[in-house]
Amino acid sequence: MDREKLQTFVMAAEDDLASVRSSLLIVAQSGKGSDLAVPRVILERLACKAREKGIAAIEDLCIECQKTLSQFGTTEIVTPAAAHAALDTIARIEAMVWAVPIRSADFLSDVGEFVDVSFRDLMTEVADPSIADGTTDFEIDEETLEIFREEAEGLLTNIAENLGILSASPSDQTALWEVRRNAHTFKGAAGIVGLSEASAVAHRIEDLLDQLVELRAPAGPPVIDFLVASTKDLHAILASKSETSPGDLESSYAKAVDWLRSELQPVGLDTPDRPVAAPLAKSDPVRTTTTPIVRVSLDRLDELIKISRSLIVNRSAIRERLNERVLFKDQDPEFIARIETLLEAQQTLTDEIQARLLKIRMVRFGTLEARLSRNVNVTCTEEAKKAVLEIENGDVEIDTQVIDALIEPLLHLLKNAVVHGIEHPDTRRLIGKPERGTVTVRVEADDEALILSVADDGSGISPARLREKALLNGIITAHQADSMNDRDSMQLIFDRGLTTSESVNLNAGRGVGMSIVKEAVESRGGSIVIKSEPQRGTTFTILMPLGPHGTATEIVKEPEMELPEPSAAPLILIVDDSPSVRRHSTKLIEQAGMRAITANNGAEALELLLNGEWEPDMILSDVEMPQIDGWAFLEYVKTDEHFGHIPVVMVTSLDTDEFKNKAADLGASDYFIKPLSRDGLARIIDAFISKPV
């Protein structure tokens, strides 16, 4: 057997078995049968791979372990003895994997030195005071508070508008959802800047509305009275005034709950089994550091940008009139030369003015670090977890309107990473992870798009558990659950009302946060992709289209003569189910002087090819798509006598050697990890597109 392919199998098997072992250790501690879904899937996959490689002993043990785990349903309790028996089988499989003869004789020659270096690194890490326990004591500066006040005013305005609708129509579920959503966002934002009193009031609003949603009840007069009083109190807190005492608000809340009890008589309302928001308390004074800031509204800034555009248009008109006069022979050449010099100087000045005005709109992404770190630290304290935030490419500058649009979904994603991703310290120790988890925010931006990712090294997302919760909540049917693949199951996380949390508290259990993220991103034409691996963590990647030069403002340039598009320009077919990805790739291709056509999935791409109207010079294809995925599409194209000569490049987020090898086996010409860059496209063009002579 090919040594390289065998080594790929062994490396993948080691990773898979590590994930299974970690999951089983957690099951041995928790006893939850629902946590066995991921190990079963991994063992089934490993058994198939072992069968393909002709290693029957590993295949048999995987099947044996899988049968053992299949005895337990999702609602059954798994005994520690059963979990440890499965762990013993995993240990036997690991021993067999390690016995596969693929390594050279000198593999262990440097193990001693490796252990010494690793031990020294470990001791250095333990001695590092920056890793010691404790949370950072953040100081909230005046700029951060001002940003919060502006955001809070917008949220309270939305709440007030929908309260008016709710007062007139108490059963309006859309208005109820909007009040609930804005209160949820206000709660998180207030907590970030240390305004615990305001956060607690918003939490009370959300808690009461949750009861209304569960009971499918209309918003009666006592409920409306509490919501109106709470909104006024939040306005007063923002203005640093005290109009309503905590006792009055508690009394109003109690009346609303009593009304629910008396009118609807729900079972178990406000009982000890249901988490209830803590009584309102005055927050500690927030320390501020005064920083001199000159604030200019974006409207005024945009007015200046419009004036700079007018200057450019005016200059173009003057140049055009001058060119008309040059046609007459009686003009003084020296005069014309002087005018040309003046126009060139004006061009330099107007271009510089526009560039500097646009620069004013740009903000370093790293300026958000304090706010984002506080979000992570506060959530860790509330969840009794440990995590550190890392920001990559903090020097990237982004238009301020884009940052404003991203801050809300970003805060939700960070909170989600801690609450649902990062494990508790004792669990992380049990499975061999550092007690302190890592949440990484990475940002990349160019003139066309911004890519923002939030990754954690936690437990990952279980598609089976999402399906189970969605089925339980009535979001999907049993038939849909049985026919749904893991990729589609991941999208359930964005459904309103779906949560994997076992309980309701300040941070989780309401099924609101992730739907807010998706709505906010898609409202600006963006898309969000999830990538998750069991026990290794989850990455959410946002792709947001931008205007020219990475801003939300259009740049005006002097009109230039447009060259007609040559009919012989190479044609590239883009196959991807994300509209944002298709748009981003199309722009790159057109800027490179080529033509592009797009397809939403493999089925649509095949239809384009088979109708005979188009024959692309190259195909860029995603892997994970509905109907016909990238693998099936690639196999069809490369085995077809008419299309087999077309180079197919896979552009996907699947970044493992296993998938790269699979693509090569099926005939892919190259393999790129999303997003495709200009340099990457240039490399593809040089390699696979013939240059015209």
Side-chain angles (χ1 to χ4, degrees):
M1 184 181 298
D2 184 85
R3 182 180 293 273
E4 184 177 346
K5 289 185 178 180
L6 197 58
Q7 185 170 10
T8 300
F9 164 76
V10 169
M11 293 173 65
E14 289 171 354
D15 289 341
D16 286 344
L17 291 171
S19 295
V20 173
R21 190 187 331 104
S22 297
S23 297
L24 290 176
L25 285 169
I26 294 174
V27 170
Q29 190 179 53
S30 66
K32 295 179 182 177
S34 58
D35 290 334
L36 292 175
V38 171
R40 290 194 197 106
V41 172
I42 293 177
L43 287 168
E44 181 181 3
R45 184 175 65 213
L46 185 56
C48 292
K49 291 179 182 177
R51 187 183 312 119
E52 292 174 359
K53 299 297 182 290
I55 310 176
I58 293 179
E59 177 191 358
D60 294 342
L61 280 178
C62 288
I63 294 174
E64 176 188 332
C65 190
Q66 188 183 9
K67 288 181 178 178
T68 301
L69 300 182
S70 298
Q71 297 173 3
F72 300 96
T74 56
T75 58
E76 294 183 36
I77 300 298
V78 181
T79 63
H84 288 123
L87 283 167
D88 290 340
T89 306
I90 295 301
R92 291 164 58 195
I93 299 173
E94 286 177 320
M96 288 187 176
V97 169
W98 272 92
V100 175
I102 63 170
R103 297 174 174 84
S104 59
D106 60 350
F107 175 72
L108 298 176
S109 60
D110 295 327
V111 168
E113 181 182 352
F114 170 77
V115 172
D116 290 341
V117 172
S118 299
F119 186 78
R120 286 197 300 271
D121 291 344
L122 178 61
M123 294 305 294
T124 302
E125 180 179 342
V126 171
D128 188 350
S130 66
I131 305 177
D133 289 343
T135 58
T136 306
D137 190 15
F138 287 91
E139 292 188 357
I140 306 302
D141 58 40
E142 186 60 33
E143 182 177 10
T144 301
L145 283 175
E146 183 62 29
I147 291 171
F148 164 72
R149 290 189 188 102
E150 292 176 3
E151 178 187 12
E153 287 294 342
L155 294 171
L156 292 178
T157 299
N158 291 339
I159 290 176
E161 290 176 356
N162 285 281
L163 276 180
I165 298 172
L166 207 56
S167 298
S169 179
S171 298
D172 191 314
Q173 292 297 305
T174 301
L176 179 66
W177 165 258
E178 283 301 312
V179 175
R180 182 178 183 233
R181 183 182 71 84
N182 284 278
H184 176 86
T185 302
F186 188 104
K187 175 190 69 178
I192 294 305
V193 298
L195 296 179
S196 58
E197 181 186 1
S199 181
V201 173
H203 181 40
R204 272 296 200 220
I205 295 174
E206 192 180 14
D207 186 70
L208 182 63
L209 295 183
D210 280 347
Q211 298 180 47
L212 282 175
V213 170
E214 289 177 9
L215 298 168
R216 302 180 185 277
V223 174
I224 297 294
D225 290 344
F226 168 73
L227 295 176
V228 171
S230 300
T231 306
K232 288 182 178 178
D233 196 63
L234 291 175
H235 275 295
I237 294 172
L238 288 180
S240 301
K241 299 177 182 178
S242 180
E243 297 183 359
T244 307
S245 69
D248 293 340
L249 213 53
E250 283 294 329
S251 175
S252 179
Y253 178 80
K255 289 178 182 178
V257 173
D258 289 341
W259 180 83
L260 284 174
R261 288 198 182 104
S262 61
E263 293 294 320
L264 302 169
Q265 299 180 350
V267 178
L269 178 64
D270 212 14
T271 63
D273 291 335
R274 174 182 175 81
V276 180
L280 302 179
K282 288 292 182 182
S283 61
D284 295 331
V286 180
R287 292 173 299 170
T288 63
T289 57
T290 303
T291 303
I293 300 170
V294 176
R295 294 194 171 276
V296 179
S297 70
L298 282 178
D299 289 340
R300 291 188 177 183
L301 187 58
D302 285 341
E303 287 174 4
L304 291 175
I305 293 175
K306 289 178 181 177
I307 292 173
S308 72
R309 293 173 181 166
S310 299
L311 287 173
I312 294 173
V313 173
N314 185 59
R315 183 186 68 214
S316 301
I318 293 174
R319 184 182 292 276
E320 184 178 347
R321 294 298 300 273
L322 182 64
N323 290 338
E324 292 174 0
R325 298 295 301 272
V326 169
L327 296 177
F328 297 96
K329 301 298 183 180
D330 58 346
Q331 296 300 321
D332 183 0
E334 292 186 8
F335 172 76
I336 297 298
R338 286 198 299 270
I339 295 296
E340 284 286 355
T341 302
L342 290 173
L343 286 174
E344 289 175 3
Q346 186 198 22
Q347 177 178 345
T348 302
L349 289 173
T350 51
D351 289 347
E352 182 71 13
I353 289 172
Q354 189 176 42
R356 288 182 179 272
L357 287 172
L358 292 173
K359 187 74 173 177
I360 294 174
R361 297 175 58 103
M362 308 301 283
V363 179
R364 278 185 63 255
F365 185 79
T367 58
L368 298 176
E369 184 168 6
R371 187 178 181 187
L372 301 182
S373 293
R374 180 177 176 84
N375 182 41
V376 170
N377 279 269
V378 169
T379 308
C380 282
T381 300
E382 293 168 348
E383 297 290 320
K385 296 181 178 181
K386 296 180 181 180
V388 63
L389 174 71
E390 294 183 356
I391 292 184
E392 297 182 0
N393 296 342
D395 289 333
V396 170
E397 291 190 335
I398 303 172
D399 184 81
T400 183
Q401 283 188 321
V402 177
I403 282 193
D404 288 345
L406 283 174
I407 190 64
E408 182 181 349
L410 182 54
L411 291 174
H412 280 299
L413 286 175
L414 291 175
K415 187 180 289 287
N416 182 79
V418 174
V419 175
H420 297 290
I422 302 297
E423 307 93 338
H424 283 91
D426 54 350
T427 301
R428 291 180 68 87
R429 285 195 304 270
L430 179 68
I431 60 180
K433 291 183 178 181
E435 284 189 8
R436 191 180 299 276
T438 301
V439 181
T440 304
V441 176
R442 179 179 177 82
V443 61
E444 298 178 52
D446 58 19
D447 291 352
E448 279 78 35
L450 176 141
I451 300 165
L452 180 71
S453 64
V454 177
D456 65 72
D457 64 347
S459 57
I461 300 173
S462 168
R465 193 174 181 191
L466 283 174
R467 289 192 293 267
E468 179 187 347
K469 281 280 189 175
L471 183 61
L472 187 64
N473 292 353
I475 296 174
I476 59 174
T477 64
H479 175 71
Q480 288 174 321
D482 292 337
S483 60
M484 191 173 285
N485 58 32
D486 286 351
R487 181 174 181 270
D488 294 335
S489 299
M490 288 288 190
Q491 298 303 311
L492 291 171
I493 201 171
F494 298 115
D495 274 64
R496 291 183 180 182
L498 181 67
T499 177
T500 56
S501 179
E502 299 294 339
S503 60
V504 180
N505 58 30
L506 190 68
N507 294 315
R510 305 178 189 275
V512 180
M514 295 309 296
S515 64
I516 291 176
V517 172
K518 187 175 184 183
E519 290 169 8
V521 171
E522 291 185 345
S523 68
R524 292 187 62 90
S527 62
I528 184 167
V529 178
I530 311 172
K531 178 182 178 183
S532 186
E533 294 185 59
Q535 308 310 328
R536 283 185 174 79
T538 302
T539 301
F540 289 88
T541 302
I542 294 173
L543 177 62
M544 188 82 76
L546 301 175
H549 289 246
T551 71
T553 303
E554 182 184 359
I555 302 252
V556 174
K557 296 183 178 179
E558 285 192 74
E560 296 179 1
M561 183 179 294
E562 295 186 2
L563 297 175
E565 183 181 87
S567 59
L571 177 66
I572 298 181
L573 170 60
I574 304 165
V575 189
D576 200 296
D577 59 338
S578 167
S580 297
V581 172
R582 294 198 300 270
R583 180 178 181 275
H584 173 69
S585 301
T586 299
K587 278 195 170 185
L588 291 181
I589 289 168
E590 290 176 348
Q591 288 171 358
M594 295 177 291
R595 298 172 296 154
I597 53 173
T598 63
N600 193 37
N601 52 58
E604 191 174 305
L606 285 177
E607 185 177 349
L608 282 173
L609 294 174
L610 294 172
N611 67 18
E613 185 177 351
W614 304 96
E615 183 172 335
D617 297 280
M618 184 171 64
I619 300 173
L620 305 180
S621 175
D622 188 16
V623 171
E624 298 176 300
M625 297 180 292
Q627 297 186 40
I628 295 179
D629 65 12
W631 300 129
F633 173 66
L634 172 62
E635 185 174 13
Y636 184 96
V637 170
K638 300 312 291 184
T639 55
D640 185 270
E641 60 179 342
H642 299 292
F643 310 123
H645 66 282
I646 301 174
V648 180
V649 177
M650 310 306 290
V651 183
T652 174
S653 58
L654 301 177
D655 187 10
T656 65
D657 290 338
E658 176 188 358
F659 292 119
K660 292 176 183 177
N661 291 333
K662 181 174 182 177
D665 291 342
L666 290 174
S669 300
D670 209 335
Y671 194 100
F672 276 81
I673 305 302
K674 285 183 178 179
L676 183 64
S677 64
R678 281 194 181 89
D679 292 341
L681 179 62
R683 197 181 96 186
I684 294 172
I685 293 171
D686 289 341
F688 305 112
I689 298 291
S690 300
K691 303 292 190 302
V693 180

